[in-house]
Amino acid sequence: MLRGRCAARLAGKGKRVLLVLHTHWNGGDHPRLLLWAEDSSAPRPPARKRSAATPRARAHPFCATPARLQAVLEGTTGLGKGKAELTLPSGRFGPLPSPDLVHDWDLADAEPPRLVEWVVSGLMVPPADVPELLSSRLAPASLPPGVVLGADARFWRLVSGLALEALAKQELVPDLTVDGDGTKALARWRPVLDSPMDASRLSRLAQAMPPVCRAAHQPGQEPPASSALLKSFLDEVVDALARRWASSAALQIAERQDPVQQWLGGLFSDDGRVRASRAQLQALAHSHKAWLRNLRLAGDASYRVALRLEAPLQRAAAQDRAGLHAGAQGDEWHLHYLLQAADDPSLLLPAELIWKGGGTVLEHVGHRFDRPQERLLAGLGYAARLCPPIAASLKARHPVAARLDSQGAYTFMRETAPLLEGAGFGLLVPPWWGKPGARLGVRLRLHASPDRVRSKSGDGSVSPGQLSYRSLVGFEWQVAVGDTTLSHEEFQSLVALKSPLVQIRGQWVQLDPEQVEAAVQFWQKQQAAGEMELPEALRLALGGEVATLADGGQLPIDSVEAEGWLGEVLRGLSASEAMEQLPQPAGLQGQLRPYQRYGFSWMHFLRRFGLGACLADDMGLGKTIETIALLLHEKERQGSLPAPALLVCPTSVVTNWQREVQRFAPALKTLVHQGSSRLRGEEFAHAATASDIVLTSFATLRQDAPMLLRLPWYAVIVDEAQNIKNASTQQARAVRALPAAFRIALTGTPVENRLSELWSIMSFLNPGYLGSQDSFRKSFAIPIERYGDENAARRLKQLIGPLVLRRVKTDPTVIQDLPEKQESKVYCNLTEEQATLYEAVVKTSLERVETSEGIERRGLVLSLLMQLKQICNHPAQYLHQGEAAAREPRPLASRSGKLARLTDMLEEVVAEGDRALVFTQFAEMGQLLRDYLPGALGCPALFLHGGTPAAKRDEMVARFQGDDGGPMVFVLSLKAGGTGLNLTRASRVFHFDRWWNPAVEDQATDRAFRIGQRRNVQVYKFVTTGTVEEMVDEMIESKRGLARAIIGTGEQWLTELSTDALRDLVRLRRNAVEE
Amino acid sequence: MRQKRRSRPLREPYQSEHDGYYDGFGRPREASGGIKARVQRGAATSNWWSKRWLQALNRLIDPGRLQRGRSYARKGQVLTLDEAEDGLVTASVQGSQPRPYKVTIRLRPLTDEQWQRVINALASQAAFAAHLLAGTMPEDIEQAFAAAGVSLFPDRDADLETDCSCPDFANPCKHIAAVYYLLADRFDEDPFMIFRLRGRTQDEVLAELRRLRTPEGSAPPDHEAETPEAPLPLDSDPSRFWALGLPLDSIALQLTPPVVELPLLKRLGDPPFVVHASLQEILAPAYRAISEAALAAAFAEPDIAIAASDAAPAESAGDREPGA
C-alpha cells in the first residue's frame, strides 16, 4: 500500500496534496500543450459579485503555480511557463472545481453556473515532448500521491498513444504545404489514418473529447470543433516526433537549388522550410497533390471497391486416392468485383448490377451510391497496376471479374491482398483462408502418468497423486491440417504437389511455403517428441498459440490434447464443476459456507499437482478460515503434517492469525515467531517441528531468513501478498527462496489488475510460469496497462485464470451465503511507546486506587480505564498533542498499532469503492482521525460529534449517502445523535475503541444496518491484545448471556471489581507488544 | 511550324547551328528559381508518356533544335509555366537578355467529330476509363486514337502553333524547346493535360464515356463537399463539462511495427517528381528509425525516480516498525 504510506508521511506534516492535472491543447499557430492543475490546498476562493461585463479574464484562483507543478512532478523543471484563457463553468466563488478535485470548500450557490473566462498558468510542453510526458511520466502509476489526472489529461494521453501508434506503424506520408500566396512552403510528416478502423476510432475520440478541451476561444465565437483539435494534435505531434527521430537518418542535400531535394531536406530540418521560387513551389505542389490522389482511389466514407475471391468447383475426377488434389492448370479461380457500403459491410453490389444500373446514382436497398461505375473503374485501374489478372480483365467493356489459376490465387491472397487492403479496398476471401482447418498446424499431445512421478520420489513421503512443480510431462507434436492428422507419407505427397493451394478431401487448404518448410524440418529433425516440465506444458495448454521450433520456424498450435492426470488437471482447472469438493474437516469449529468449502477444495486441488494458488477474495469473505480448513484437512487426513507450515504476514496481523487458528482449529498447534524474545537456532527448529503452523512477520522473515531457509516447510503461505508485490525487495526474495512443497498467496486486492504485482506473486507461487519479468512486461504489462491491448489481456486471463480465485461480496453465489451482519474482532498490538505509557499509568493509578474507597475510588477506576483506552487508541490522544502531533517527524500511524491496522483496512475498503463508518467514543480521537485519514487514503472524511450543529449534520449525512465522488469514511463519536441517522451507504463499520456495553455498541452499529440497507455489513471491533481491552472483551463474551442483566447501560460495573481483580484486568501482557 | 516574330533584332543575323548557347547572343543569364525539367539522359524514371511526347515532337521538329532546349530546361531557365483555360500554354524563359522571354504554345484542338470517334474507341474497353480515372494514362491509348483515325500527339506542322519573344529565328528556338521538355514533365503528372490541350477536359471525356456506357444521362450530382462539422457549444454543467463523452477503454491501441514496411509509400507508388532515386529507398531508413523509436518510447519504463524513493522507506515501514 505504497500510496497510503507516503501520503501518510506527508500528511503527518500537515500537508494535504491534492492536485488535479489538466492538459490543454491549443491548436493554433504555435501549437503547444499546456499542463496546468487545480490545487485544493489553496484557500477557498472568495465570493465575487456577478458583474455583467468583465473587462478581461482574471487569474484562476486555485490554479497551481508553475513552480509548484515543477516541484511536484519529476522531470518537469526544463519546461517553460505559459498561460491560456479558458472558459469555465463558474459561480459566485469563481470557477467551479472539476469533479475530481477533493476539496473542503463550501461553494454553495443558488444560481446555475455560467461560462466565464479565466486565465490559467502552467507549463508549456512542446509537441515533440508530449508523448513522453503523457504516456510515461503522467502514467497513473507514476504519479505522486495526491495527484490525479483530470479527464482531459487522460483523453490527450490516449490520443498521444495513437500518435505513437501511427509512427510505429509508419502510417505517415511526406507532405508539402504551401501557404496562401504561394511563397512559403513547409515539408511535413503527415499521419494518414484512413482505414475503417481508424475512421471509427477517430470518430469515437471526437465524441469522447471532454468539452473543457475546447474551452479556449474568443467570446462570441464558436468553440473549435473536436475533430479539428484532434487532427491538429495528431498532425503536430506526429510531425515533431518524426522529424526528431528521423534526424539520425537525415539526408544530405546534394543540390541546394533543387526544390525536390529542398523538400526532402525539409523533412529532417528543424523548421521544415522548403526554399524555392514561387513557380517551383507551385510546380512541386501540383505534382505532389497529383501523387497523393492515389490515396483515395479505393473509396471514401460512403462506399468502397471490394474484391471477392471464389474457389473453383470441385472436380471429382481429378482427385487421387488420398483425396488430394492440387490446383491444376485449368483451375479457374474468380476474383469478383463489387462495391461495398461503408456503414454496412454486408451490403455488396456485384459489378453486373453496377453496369446495368445507373451511371450516376444507384439506389440499392436504401443505400445510395454516387457515380458507382466510375468509382469501380478508378479502383480497378489502381488495382490493375498491382495485379496483372485484373489488368487483363479490363480489356472487356464491362468487366465483372478476373480469372486466376491456383498459383495466381495464392499470390493474390498472400501478397496483393494485404497491399490492397492497406489501400482501403474491401477484401472478401474464402471463409477457409487462414483458418486452422485450412492450413498446416501442429497438434500437441501431452501424456503423463503417475508412475513416473512415484518412481522419482522413491521414499513414501509424497503420497500417490501428489506431484511436484517440476514434474515432467511427455509430449508429442503432430502435423495436422484442421482435424486431420497427417501421416508422414501423406505429408510428403502434399509437399510433392508443389502447389500452394490444395484440396484435401474436398476442402481447400493453403500451404504457406514457410510453414511447409518448417514442417519438413520437423520430420527431419525428429524433435517431435520428448519431455517438458509441467509449467511449460500448462503454459502451452492454456495460452500457447504458436510453437517455436528449435530452428526458429513457427507453426500455429491448433489444439492441445492431454491424457492422464494432466488431462484431469486441465479439465478441473477449466470447469469448476468437475472438481471434487471436500467435506468440512471434523475438527473445524465453525461452519464453512459453501463458497468457502469451494475455496479450500480448490486450493487442495491445485496442491495435488504442485501448483501454487492465489486466493484473492474480498476482505471479509473468510480467506483465513479457508486456509485454516486446508491445513486442518491435511492434518486429519495424514494424521500429522509431515512438516510445519510457515505463514508470513504483516506484523500487525500475526496475533490475529493466532487467535483465529485457536478459535477455528484448536487442534492445530501454532508457534508465533516474532519479537525480541523469539527462539533461535536449535531451539527454534525443535519448536517449529513440533508445531503445525509457524506464524511470522515479513520483518522477522527478513531478519531471520538464513535460519528459516534451512527448514523444510510443508507449505509457505503469504498473507497480504501485496507485501511482495515488488519482486526485488528482500522480503520477496526471501519468500521465494523458502523451500516448500506447495505455496499459497492470500490477498484482498484484485491482483489481475496490477500486473507487476501479479508477476511477483506468481513468481513466488509458480516460478517461471509467466516468464521473465522483462518478457512479461513487454508481452503483457505494457500492452495491457498502457495501451489497453485486449488480445494480450485475454491471453493473460487464460493463463492465470485457473490459478487465481477471486470472489467479491457482490457475487451472486456468495451474497446469499453471507449474513446481513458479520462481526469480527481485529486484534492489534501496542507499540513500544504505547506500552511504556500504559505501564506507567497502571502503576501509578493502582497505587492510588488501593488506598482509596467509595466515590473517590470509583472515580479513580473510571479515570484509569479512560486513560488506558486513550493510550490504546493513540499516544497523541492521550498526551493531548492534537495539532502538534501532525508536525512530528514520526508518522502518525507508526505510533499506534490500532491506527496502523485501521489505515490498512480502510485502504482496502476505499480501493474497493465501499464506504465505512468509524466509531470512537472520544471526540479528540475523532478529530485526529478526521485530520489524518484524507491524506492517508486520498479521499475526504467526515466527522460528526455531539457538538455538530443539526444543519451541518444533515448536510454531512446527505453527502455521505448521496454524493458519488464524496467522502468514503465517516467518523462518528459514539454519542453522536441519539436521533436516527441513516447511514446505509456504509457497508463496513469499525469500532475503533469499545464502549464496554454491548447494547450501546450494537445500537451504534445498527445505524448502518437499517431498513434500506441492501448490502451486507461487516463490523470490526478493534481489540488491543495483552491489554485491558482484551480482558474486558473476554469477560463480556463469556458473560454475554448474563451481561445484559448485570451490566445495565453504563460501565459502572467495572468499578465494582476488587482491586486484585482490577489489577489482573489491566495488567499488560508483554508478549504481545510489537517490536 | 510557323513562327510569329514580334520584334526585329537590331543586330546582325546570328550564326548558330551548334549548341544553343553560342548563338552570338551570349550565354543565358543565371536563372534563379526556375523550374527544372526532370528529363535526364536515358532516365529510367521518366514516364513512358513523356517519352512519347518527345518522340512525337522529334518527328515534327529537327532533333538538334529540340536538344538545344534540353540544357535550358535542365538548368532551370524556364521561370514560369502556366496553362490557360482555353488550352494556351504560356511560359517565361530566362535567356541572355535581362528580361525573360515570353513563350506561347498552342496545340490544335481536335474537331468534335474526331473526338466522337476517339471516345467511341475508348469506350470499347474498360481499361481506358479505369486508368484515366485512376490518374494514369493507359499504355495503349494511342491505339484507341489511331483506331479513330486521329493522333493524340501532334503529328503535323499544323498541329503546333508557337511563338517566342526572343530574337532567335531558329525553329524552334531553344526557349520554346525548353518549354517542350517541361511539358513532358507535366504530362507525367497529369495525363489529362494532353487531352485539355487538344480540346477536351477530363470531365467532358469522362461524361461522354459515361453516357456511352449507360444511356440515361442526368447530370451527375456535384461531388459532395464534406460538410464541416458544426461545433457543439460548450456545456456549462460542471458534471459534463469536465467529463469524457465516452469511456476511454472502448478505444484500443495497437502498438506494433507495420505488417508491410513503408505501407503508404507502397500504396502511393514512387512519385514521378523524384527522379534521382526511388523515394522508397531514400526514405526507408528514416521510416525505420521513426518506427523503432516510437516503439521504444511506447514501451519505455516510466521514470521510476518517484517510485524508487518511496520503495526504500516503504519497505522498512512495510510492517509499521517504528524507528526500524
Side-chain angles (χ1 to χ4, degrees):
Chain A
M1 297 299 158
L2 203 60
R3 264 182 75 220
R5 287 185 196 155
C6 306
R9 263 192 305 125
L10 291 166
K13 293 184 165 62
K15 279 189 219 134
R16 219 183 294 159
V17 281
L18 291 163
L19 289 178
V20 177
L21 291 178
H22 296 287
T23 51
H24 178 74
W25 176 257
N26 67 321
D29 284 332
H30 300 283
R32 286 272 187 280
L33 191 77
L34 177 69
L35 180 65
W36 66 282
E38 296 171 287
D39 187 351
S40 71
S41 67
R44 187 187 84 165
R48 288 177 205 281
K49 292 202 313 278
R50 279 178 189 267
S51 53
T54 331
R56 56 166 214 277
R58 289 207 190 87
H60 191 290
F62 50 94
C63 172
T65 62
R68 181 141 158 75
L69 283 177
Q70 283 174 336
V72 171
L73 297 172
E74 287 266 339
T76 51
T77 45
L79 296 174
K81 307 188 176 20
K83 290 190 187 340
E85 266 188 37
L86 299 180
T87 312
L88 303 174
S90 315
R92 201 151 58 92
F93 296 93
L96 294 171
S98 71
D100 290 315
L101 188 65
V102 174
H103 64 87
D104 265 342
W105 309 316
D106 177 8
L107 300 173
D109 189 353
E111 308 230 353
R114 294 186 315 164
L115 292 174
V116 176
E117 281 124 50
W118 299 93
V119 176
V120 298
S121 56
L123 303 173
M124 285 297 208
V125 187
D129 296 327
V130 164
E132 198 215 327
L133 180 84
L134 289 181
S135 294
S136 298
R137 278 192 213 287
L138 296 189
S142 321
L143 291 173
V147 178
V148 299
L149 290 181
D152 58 336
R154 281 182 278 135
F155 173 79
W156 287 119
R157 197 161 167 261
L158 182 63
V159 182
S160 85
L162 184 61
L164 283 181
E165 183 189 309
L167 290 159
K169 284 189 176 163
Q170 298 181 4
E171 286 171 343
L172 14 154
V173 286
D175 199 14
L176 174 70
T177 58
V178 182
D179 69 0
D181 63 354
T183 47
K184 183 164 166 225
L186 293 174
R188 290 180 66 91
W189 295 93
R190 181 158 68 83
V192 173
L193 298 168
D194 61 356
S195 74
M197 172 176 82
D198 289 326
S200 147
R201 283 193 295 180
L202 287 174
S203 148
R204 311 192 67 174
L205 280 173
Q207 276 181 284
M209 184 186 287
V212 61
C213 298
R214 301 189 290 129
H217 64 99
Q218 299 302 330
Q221 280 184 5
E222 291 194 328
S226 43
S227 54
L229 268 185
L230 194 54
K231 181 173 188 311
S232 149
F233 181 95
L234 287 170
D235 285 350
E236 288 296 331
V237 170
V238 165
D239 177 69
L241 279 174
R243 200 171 287 278
R244 177 190 280 186
W245 286 334
S247 62
S248 62
L251 304 174
Q252 300 299 330
I253 302 184
E255 263 187 65
R256 304 207 113 261
Q257 301 296 342
D258 178 10
V260 171
Q261 298 244 15
Q262 276 280 326
W263 170 62
L264 289 173
L267 291 172
F268 302 90
S269 68
D270 285 333
D271 62 358
R273 284 293 300 272
V274 179
R275 286 176 172 75
S277 77
R278 198 158 161 277
Q280 286 173 326
L281 288 177
Q282 187 199 46
L284 185 59
H286 190 266
S287 312
H288 185 272
K289 186 162 166 229
W291 181 54
L292 285 188
R293 239 188 286 129
N294 281 320
L295 280 179
R296 295 270 196 81
L297 288 171
D300 65 7
S302 66
Y303 69 91
R304 62 181 183 172
V305 178
L307 303 166
R308 181 168 66 82
L309 184 68
E310 184 193 35
L313 298 171
Q314 189 168 334
R315 304 224 193 137
Q319 285 191 2
D320 64 9
R321 271 166 302 151
L324 297 174
H325 161 73
Q329 288 290 53
D331 268 358
E332 263 196 6
W333 296 67
H334 285 97
L335 190 63
H336 296 275
Y337 305 145
L338 316 125
L339 291 182
Q340 184 182 41
D343 54 357
D344 182 4
S346 68
L347 184 61
L348 298 162
L349 266 189
E352 293 87 343
L353 269 185
I354 298 170
W355 296 124
K356 281 211 199 82
T360 49
V361 173
L362 188 60
E363 299 258 343
H364 186 79
V365 193
H367 274 77
R368 181 193 159 97
F369 295 83
D370 284 333
R371 302 201 200 202
Q373 293 176 357
E374 290 187 350
R375 297 274 282 278
L376 178 64
L377 285 172
L380 291 177
Y382 175 85
R385 282 184 248 159
L386 299 173
C387 178
I390 295 183
S393 76
L394 292 181
K395 293 232 182 333
R397 199 179 179 96
H398 293 156
V400 295
R403 282 203 277 269
L404 309 105
D405 63 7
S406 292
Q407 184 66 45
Y410 182 77
T411 310
F412 177 81
M413 287 199 280
R414 255 338 265 297
E415 293 168 16
T416 320
L419 283 176
L420 288 177
E421 210 168 18
F425 286 78
L427 258 303
L428 301 157
V429 294
W432 46 260
W433 175 263
K435 290 284 179 308
R439 56 160 170 67
L440 271 186
V442 287
R443 281 234 205 91
L444 177 62
R445 298 181 67 106
L446 299 167
H447 46 88
S449 61
D451 303 346
R452 189 180 307 213
V453 179
R454 228 181 286 162
S455 65
K456 261 188 83 158
S457 56
D459 59 342
S461 65
V462 176
S463 35
Q466 284 194 3
L467 301 144
S468 92
Y469 190 58
R470 298 282 166 220
S471 301
L472 292 177
V473 170
F475 72 88
E476 193 191 322
W477 293 102
Q478 291 171 331
V479 177
V481 172
D483 283 336
T484 322
T485 315
L486 295 178
S487 74
H488 201 39
E489 296 77 36
E490 283 176 321
F491 181 68
Q492 280 188 326
S493 4
L494 266 188
V495 176
L497 289 175
K498 283 198 193 316
S499 167
L501 284 169
V502 164
Q503 258 186 320
I504 297 182
R505 299 180 195 113
Q507 285 271 3
W508 281 99
V509 168
Q510 76 203 69
L511 299 179
D512 293 327
E514 305 91 50
Q515 290 186 345
V516 170
E517 184 54 34
V520 164
Q521 300 283 339
F522 230 14
W523 290 121
Q524 281 179 357
K525 293 188 182 167
Q526 280 297 318
Q527 57 191 347
E531 285 184 338
M532 63 169 75
E533 283 191 342
L534 180 57
E536 199 191 331
L538 274 183
R539 202 174 31 236
L540 283 170
L542 292 171
E545 290 175 349
V546 157
T548 308
L549 313 172
D551 62 348
Q554 285 195 339
L555 287 171
I557 299 182
D558 284 340
S559 68
V560 177
E561 284 164 23
E563 301 166 4
W565 58 262
L566 188 57
E568 190 197 334
V569 177
L570 290 176
R571 272 190 301 280
L573 290 180
S574 50
S576 46
E577 300 80 39
M579 196 181 65
E580 177 205 342
Q581 299 252 4
L582 299 172
Q584 168 147 333
L588 194 67
Q589 312 287 327
Q591 183 68 15
L592 283 177
R593 308 213 175 90
Y595 73 89
Q596 289 170 334
R597 260 185 72 200
Y598 177 85
F600 105 87
S601 310
W602 173 78
M603 288 197 280
H604 176 81
F605 178 77
L606 287 185
R607 198 196 60 66
R608 274 177 58 205
F609 304 108
L611 296 171
C614 179
L615 186 59
D617 288 342
D618 254 1
M619 177 169 91
L621 285 186
K623 297 190 283 290
T624 315
I625 194 175
E626 290 175 53
T627 313
I628 293 175
L630 178 68
L631 292 171
L632 188 59
H633 168 89
E634 283 304 304
K635 178 166 180 175
E636 287 178 359
R637 201 168 57 85
Q638 301 177 45
S640 72
L641 292 178
L646 180 67
L647 192 142
V648 189
C649 62
T651 314
S652 51
V653 176
V654 174
T655 322
N656 216 40
W657 269 100
Q658 191 192 26
R659 290 272 181 278
E660 301 279 86
V661 173
Q662 269 174 10
R663 180 168 142 209
F664 290 119
L668 290 174
K669 296 194 284 283
T670 59
L671 170 69
V672 171
H673 179 70
Q674 78 166 8
S676 53
S677 50
R678 62 185 184 272
L679 302 172
R680 320 263 180 187
E682 269 304 309
E683 266 191 313
F684 170 73
H686 218 66
T689 332
S691 25
D692 295 313
I693 310 181
V694 174
L695 302 167
T696 187
S697 68
F698 287 105
T700 315
L701 169 67
R702 281 205 306 278
Q703 289 165 14
D704 289 358
M707 180 177 79
L708 293 169
L709 289 177
R710 274 203 290 273
L711 288 174
W713 301 98
Y714 176 64
V716 172
I717 304 166
V718 174
D719 187 23
E720 307 288 343
Q722 60 271 18
N723 282 282
I724 55 165
K725 71 180 179 185
N726 187 341
S728 54
T729 57
Q730 223 184 327
Q731 60 206 34
R733 279 184 277 138
V735 134
R736 284 203 297 274
L738 288 166
F742 73 97
R743 295 147 179 213
I744 295 181
L746 306 173
T747 172
T749 58
V751 78
E752 65 265 12
N753 291 346
R754 296 126 191 251
L755 295 185
S756 60
E757 188 174 324
L758 173 66
W759 185 85
S760 179
I761 293 178
M762 202 49 83
S763 68
F764 155 66
L765 290 174
N766 298 299
Y769 182 66
L770 288 180
S772 76
Q773 196 169 22
D774 203 48
S775 74
F776 180 75
R777 256 190 63 233
K778 291 219 170 76
S779 312
F780 294 110
I782 292 184
I784 298 176
E785 283 179 331
R786 243 194 250 179
Y787 300 112
D789 182 338
E790 283 173 6
N791 269 336
R794 195 183 34 88
R795 271 201 334 260
L796 181 61
K797 205 163 157 255
Q798 274 176 300
L799 276 177
I800 63 160
L803 304 171
V804 175
L805 180 64
R806 173 168 170 80
R807 277 103 30 118
V808 294
K809 285 202 313 299
T810 47
D811 267 354
T813 50
V814 167
I815 204 170
Q816 63 216 29
D817 291 338
L818 291 180
E820 290 167 324
K821 179 161 78 164
Q822 262 175 291
E823 289 190 356
S824 49
K825 302 255 170 53
V826 176
Y827 293 98
C828 310
N829 299 346
L830 287 179
T831 62
E832 195 56 51
E833 183 189 1
Q834 285 174 306
T836 313
L837 288 169
Y838 189 98
E839 284 183 320
V841 165
V842 163
K843 188 158 183 290
T844 47
S845 297
L846 281 181
E847 279 169 8
R848 291 170 59 194
V849 162
E850 250 178 324
T851 59
S852 66
E853 44 182 55
I855 296 191
E856 197 197 346
R857 184 178 185 281
R858 261 206 275 278
L860 282 173
V861 170
L862 285 176
S863 161
L864 164 65
L865 294 172
M866 190 69 54
Q867 291 175 70
L868 293 181
K869 277 190 194 177
Q870 293 182 15
I871 293 171
C872 288
N873 274 0
H874 200 289
Q877 182 198 357
Y878 172 70
L879 299 169
H880 303 296
Q881 288 178 328
E883 275 293 308
R887 286 197 290 277
E888 275 203 35
R890 285 177 297 168
L892 219 56
S894 68
R895 295 170 65 188
S896 155
K898 273 203 210 175
L899 185 59
R901 193 87 176 93
L902 179 71
T903 312
D904 275 348
M905 294 180 84
L906 282 178
E907 272 171 355
E908 273 191 45
V909 168
V910 167
E912 286 169 18
D914 286 341
R915 301 199 184 202
L917 305 178
V918 180
F919 285 104
T920 169
Q921 61 191 254
F922 299 104
E924 205 179 337
M925 190 67 220
Q927 187 63 43
L928 217 132
L929 285 174
R930 186 238 175 273
D931 286 337
Y932 160 76
L933 287 175
L937 304 175
C939 67
L942 298 167
F943 175 42
L944 184 74
H945 55 93
T948 313
K952 195 90 186 1
R953 177 190 7 234
D954 291 340
E955 188 203 322
M956 287 166 123
V957 171
R959 263 183 88 189
F960 184 75
Q961 286 284 97
D963 217 2
D964 256 339
M968 315 276 277
V969 179
F970 205 154
V971 180
L972 299 120
S973 88
L974 216 49
K975 303 183 213 123
T979 60
L981 285 176
N982 188 345
L983 296 167
T984 51
R985 192 86 186 264
S987 53
R988 321 262 190 172
V989 176
F990 295 85
H991 287 278
F992 195 71
D993 46 56
R994 317 271 310 273
W995 189 258
W996 288 322
N997 191 303
V1000 174
E1001 253 182 11
D1002 287 345
Q1003 190 189 48
T1005 302
D1006 287 348
R1007 282 192 203 111
F1009 176 63
R1010 287 179 143 244
I1011 298 175
Q1013 174 59 274
R1014 266 179 242 102
R1015 300 156 245 263
N1016 88 304
V1017 176
Q1018 273 160 321
V1019 184
Y1020 303 98
K1021 304 193 177 182
F1022 278 33
V1023 175
T1024 317
T1025 49
T1027 69
V1028 60
E1029 287 192 347
E1030 189 176 16
M1031 299 300 130
V1032 173
D1033 179 61
E1034 275 176 22
M1035 217 156 56
I1036 292 180
E1037 289 296 318
S1038 62
K1039 292 193 169 87
R1040 196 136 192 140
L1042 311 170
R1044 285 172 211 280
I1046 302 175
I1047 287 171
T1049 57
E1051 289 185 328
Q1052 306 295 88
W1053 59 279
L1054 288 159
T1055 60
E1056 309 295 324
L1057 297 170
S1058 73
T1059 308
D1060 279 335
L1062 190 63
R1063 177 176 292 115
D1064 204 46
L1065 201 66
V1066 301
R1067 183 170 61 90
L1068 178 66
R1069 277 85 175 152
R1070 260 276 169 183
N1071 59 353
V1073 175
E1074 71 178 65
E1075 296 279 323
Chain B
M1 173 171 66
R2 278 178 297 151
Q3 185 172 2
K4 284 196 199 124
R5 298 256 310 267
R6 290 274 194 84
S7 58
R8 284 187 179 274
L10 297 174
R11 293 171 237 201
E12 310 92 36
Y14 65 97
Q15 325 94 355
S16 103
E17 240 28 89
H18 309 292
D19 182 56
Y21 284 170
Y22 299 105
D23 63 353
F25 293 99
R27 290 202 140 221
R29 289 168 182 263
E30 269 295 305
S32 66
I35 312 166
K36 282 204 194 141
R38 299 197 283 267
V39 173
Q40 306 275 350
R41 212 178 305 259
T45 52
S46 177
N47 191 285
W48 65 272
W49 187 234
S50 40
K51 282 208 196 86
R52 283 291 304 118
W53 159 252
L54 293 169
Q55 272 171 19
L57 285 180
N58 264 314
R59 279 202 297 267
L60 282 181
I61 303 166
D62 183 282
R65 289 177 181 155
L66 203 52
Q67 285 279 357
R68 278 186 227 133
R70 193 162 110 166
S71 46
Y72 260 53
R74 283 166 68 192
K75 273 193 59 158
Q77 300 295 114
V78 177
L79 297 175
T80 64
L81 178 61
D82 297 297
E83 179 194 343
E85 276 194 21
D86 59 354
L88 179 71
V89 175
T90 54
S92 63
V93 184
Q94 181 67 53
S96 48
Q97 308 269 8
R99 235 159 125 233
Y101 304 121
K102 286 237 165 335
V103 169
T104 62
I105 298 178
R106 187 191 286 287
L107 261 65
R108 190 174 60 90
L110 297 176
T111 66
D112 284 347
E113 195 254 327
Q114 284 173 320
W115 269 116
Q116 197 56 50
R117 278 185 277 143
V118 165
I119 300 235
N120 278 331
L122 288 179
S124 64
Q125 275 186 40
F128 293 123
H131 287 292
L132 289 174
L133 285 163
T136 50
M137 188 58 86
E139 290 206 358
D140 39 5
I141 189 94
E142 291 185 89
Q143 279 142 314
F145 275 75
V150 180
S151 167
L152 174 56
F153 291 111
D155 63 349
R156 260 166 255 185
D157 279 353
D159 285 339
L160 268 178
E161 209 178 272
T162 63
D163 187 42
C164 179
S165 63
C166 74
D168 189 353
F169 279 105
N171 190 359
C173 64
K174 40 192 179 300
H175 315 107
I176 295 176
V179 178
Y180 282 151
Y181 277 101
L182 283 181
L183 279 178
D185 286 346
R186 286 286 167 100
F187 291 150
D188 259 358
E189 294 154 8
D190 187 359
F192 284 98
M193 188 174 185
I194 189 74
F195 281 27
R196 285 198 298 277
L197 294 184
R198 299 232 79 183
R200 284 285 184 281
T201 64
Q202 177 180 8
D203 282 338
E204 286 165 346
V205 170
L206 289 174
E208 284 178 57
L209 281 175
R210 197 181 312 134
R211 200 175 47 79
L212 282 183
R213 269 197 307 270
T214 45
E216 36 70 61
S218 56
D222 280 338
H223 180 70
E224 57 181 54
E226 306 235 342
T227 43
E229 169 197 327
L232 298 169
L234 295 179
D235 198 332
S236 62
D237 178 352
S239 64
R240 285 199 291 276
F241 182 82
W242 298 91
L244 293 164
L246 281 181
L248 286 181
D249 52 14
S250 61
I251 300 166
L253 296 177
Q254 263 184 6
L255 280 136
T256 50
V259 172
V260 173
E261 287 264 331
L262 311 177
L264 282 160
L265 291 188
K266 291 211 169 92
R267 266 170 73 181
L268 291 168
D270 266 337
F273 55 88
V274 177
V275 291
H276 52 289
S278 146
L279 186 66
Q280 287 181 30
E281 273 173 34
I282 298 173
L283 290 182
Y287 272 97
R288 251 177 247 130
I290 291 172
S291 174
E292 280 169 15
L295 288 167
F299 287 88
E301 266 295 343
D303 210 307
I304 54 171
I306 298 170
S309 68
D310 283 343
E315 196 189 332
S316 61
D319 295 304
R320 302 227 175 278
E321 295 197 318

